Amino acid sequence: MSMILKTKPLQTIYKSLGLEERGKVQQFLGKTVADNLKKYVSLKSGTQKDSVNPINGGKQVIINVPYARFQAEGKVMVGVKSRSAYARRGERKVVINKNLKYHSSKLRGAHPFERMKADKRDKILMQTANYARRLDNG
């Protein structure tokens, strides 16, 4: 007895399940990561929190403010010549060995993505898997 099994191409199956690159599942994952990350970034004025967005179809999440890098590292930066955190216009800044102080929540601080991932990884993956299952059944 022989059997012939005909299936759709793999890319077609991925697309129908929302699993293709920049597809519905990846976009959901990027949005979920961004939403969770907002609770971990610095919140003095709210600008940094409001600038957290998924890009590239959910493949990356960025914090789109000029000072995000040093805020995420958690170290103070000072001007090379002035040695002040309020450097002169055009003056290059360097990182010094002094930690930043974060306000408003125990969640906020240095290395927000790594801390968020350690706290929320399993929850985010479960939410994404449930979303993908709903797409499959719907």
Side-chain angles (χ1 to χ4, degrees):
M1 176 165 142
S2 67
M3 183 187 306
I4 297 175
L5 181 63
K6 293 186 179 182
T7 64
K8 296 177 184 176
L10 198 54
Q11 292 300 83
T12 306
I13 295 170
Y14 284 162
K15 189 171 184 173
S16 70
L17 296 174
L19 296 174
E20 77 277 14
E21 188 170 328
R22 297 182 182 165
K24 292 178 183 178
V25 174
Q26 190 169 43
Q27 289 175 15
F28 178 84
L29 176 61
K31 184 182 179 320
T32 305
V33 168
D35 290 346
N36 281 283
L37 184 58
K38 288 178 182 184
K39 297 172 189 137
Y40 288 80
V41 297
S42 179
L43 181 74
K44 189 166 187 177
S45 67
T47 305
Q48 191 170 1
K49 178 186 76 108
D50 295 339
S51 74
V52 176
N53 290 307
I55 61 169
N56 241 355
K59 289 178 78 171
Q60 296 173 307
V61 174
I62 62 164
I63 303 170
N64 197 16
V65 291
Y67 51 87
R69 183 172 152 242
F70 91 88
Q71 284 277 334
E73 291 299 319
K75 297 289 182 183
V76 174
M77 292 181 80
V78 297
V80 173
K81 292 182 182 177
S82 66
R83 301 308 292 171
S84 168
Y86 301 99
R88 297 180 191 125
R89 184 180 190 117
E91 183 179 12
R92 195 170 66 83
K93 285 187 162 186
V94 293
V95 176
I96 62 172
N97 195 22
K98 181 178 178 185
N99 293 331
L100 289 172
K101 293 180 181 163
Y102 296 90
H103 308 282
S104 77
S105 172
K106 293 179 182 179
L107 292 176
R108 302 188 191 284
H111 307 285
F113 179 74
E114 287 79 10
R115 289 182 304 100
M116 182 276 302
K117 189 171 65 172
D119 290 348
K120 305 284 185 178
R121 186 183 128 233
D122 294 337
K123 180 183 174 190
I124 291 170
L125 292 175
M126 185 62 69
Q127 287 175 325
T128 305
N130 289 338
Y131 177 78
R133 284 188 195 100
R134 284 194 311 268
L135 283 179
D136 183 33
N137 295 333

